[in-house]
Amino acid sequence: PDAVDRVLLAVAMIPPGRVASYGDIGALVGVGPRRVGSIMARQGDGVPWWRVLGASGVSPVLDAALPHWRREGIAVRRDGRGCRMADYRADPHQLAADYAFAAAERGRPQPTG
């Protein structure tokens, strides 16, 4: 459950109009990218799940993510499979700082990765 809390908190820290990869989130909270994907698939409904993508920018649930992306200004790349990570990736240092602050405020463990 602790890993679930850490992943969901980290995803909640991704700013609107930005994305992070499963690996970005995993490195931040100390779990592997597949574990992040599993947590998101089972328990990610309460966080901005549409902001978490594969490392190449591919979204496995693009059709469901598109309305959110349009609202946040995230453009679909030409191949229609995701977005350009280089254009939309959240700043990893800011994401880590925001996560650490939120974790400390909530009395949760700090990043372990």
Side-chain angles (χ1 to χ4, degrees), residues 53-54 56-63 66 69 75-84:
L53 313 172
S56 65
V58 171
S59 173
V61 290
L62 184 61
D63 288 342
L66 281 176
W69 283 18
V76 176
R77 59 186 197 205
R78 289 184 190 186
D79 70 5
R81 297 182 57 218
C83 75
R84 286 181 36 86

Side-chain angles (χ1 to χ4, degrees), residues 60-112:
V61 290
L62 184 61
D63 288 342
L66 281 176
H68 301 284
W69 283 18
R70 287 185 188 113
R71 187 172 55 251
E72 294 184 10
I74 300 171
V76 176
R77 59 186 197 205
R78 289 184 190 186
D79 70 5
R81 297 182 57 218
C83 75
R84 286 181 36 86
M85 290 296 281
D87 294 341
Y88 297 101
R89 180 176 256 139
D91 178 287
H93 302 293
Q94 187 63 53
L95 185 58
D98 293 345
Y99 171 78
F101 181 80
E105 264 195 343
R106 296 174 187 194
R108 293 187 176 152
Q110 296 297 307
T112 59

Side-chain angles (χ1 to χ4, degrees), residues 3-13 39-40 43-45 47-48:
V4 171
D5 290 341
R6 292 192 322 262
V7 166
L8 296 179
L9 180 60
V11 171
M13 297 296 103
I39 290 168
M40 293 302 297
Q43 297 172 288
D45 288 345
V47 295

